[in-house]
Amino acid sequence: MNKALDILVENGLRKTAMRQGVLEIFLDSNMAISQQLIENSLEKQFDKVDRITIYRTLKTFEQKGIIHKAIDGTHTPKYALCLDDCTEHEHHDTHAHFHCDDCGRTYCIEEVEAPKIKAPKGFKVKSTHLVINGLCNDCSS
Ligand SMILES: [Zn+2]
Ligand SMILES: [Zn+2]
Ligand SMILES: [Zn+2]
């Protein structure tokens, strides 16, 4: 069985070529990717790529706990595959994200957890993001 199809079935999502195509890009990538990059890859595969459809596909995947937003301190939203313990409406992606200053790529750093924050009195913490800047493996050598 195809891994992308597996994920769609597991999450009770209808199998469409677009959803499968988007998932395959995530499965093939070892970094977080932007909607623009997804569009560019899909253009090679489909005649017509509708931005809104891609946008909705990403939103659906995010809701289902398949992908998460990789907050990297830039203005371009990027997404990455979640680990297995994310479920619908409940993400556990508290790991750090590494943004390379040189190539601009963003990576999930699963082994580094964002610290638990004790907020000042009267403040309620909703989420905490840990962003690391620097040079990635390719750019530092
Ligand atoms: Zn997640
Ligand atoms: Zn780099
Ligand atoms: Zn991540």
Side-chain angles (χ1 to χ4, degrees):
M1 248 300 243
N2 175 297
K3 179 89 176 119
L5 284 179
D6 273 354
I7 294 172
L8 291 179
V9 172
E10 267 167 35
N11 288 280
L13 290 169
R14 213 157 37 83
K15 292 175 240 171
T16 66
M18 176 64 79
R19 281 177 180 164
Q20 203 186 327
V22 171
L23 267 180
E24 262 153 19
I25 297 168
F26 278 109
L27 289 165
D28 283 345
S29 173
N30 66 340
M31 65 190 90
I33 46 184
S34 65
Q35 181 172 338
Q36 186 62 53
L37 202 138
I38 294 167
E39 271 175 44
N40 295 347
S41 324
L42 288 176
E43 266 164 13
K44 294 174 204 140
Q45 202 182 329
F46 297 93
D47 300 335
K48 210 173 122 259
V49 179
D50 177 25
R51 275 164 174 263
I52 307 290
T53 311
I54 299 178
Y55 177 80
R56 288 206 189 113
T57 301
L58 291 174
K59 282 279 156 252
T60 304
F61 287 172
E62 197 184 358
Q63 267 169 19
K64 288 283 183 183
I66 301 169
I67 59 170
H68 62 277
K69 244 195 200 113
I71 307 285
D72 66 355
T74 71
H75 293 295
T76 313
K78 297 185 189 77
Y79 299 88
L81 277 183
C82 292
L83 293 177
D84 298 333
D85 65 342
C86 288
T87 55
E88 187 158 8
H89 305 302
E90 203 175 299
H91 282 275
H92 302 282
D93 310 285
T94 51
H95 56 263
H97 289 104
F98 190 103
H99 181 69
C100 177
D101 294 329
D102 206 356
C103 64
R105 290 181 189 143
T106 300
Y107 294 88
C108 290
I109 309 291
E110 317 275 10
E111 55 271 47
V112 179
E113 285 280 314
K116 288 255 178 294
I117 304 294
K118 199 177 173 299
K121 216 173 150 22
F123 290 82
K124 275 204 173 74
V125 177
K126 218 168 100 197
S127 57
T128 307
H129 300 286
L130 181 59
V131 181
I132 309 169
N133 275 83
L135 295 177
C136 75
N137 199 23
D138 289 337
C139 298
S140 64
S141 51

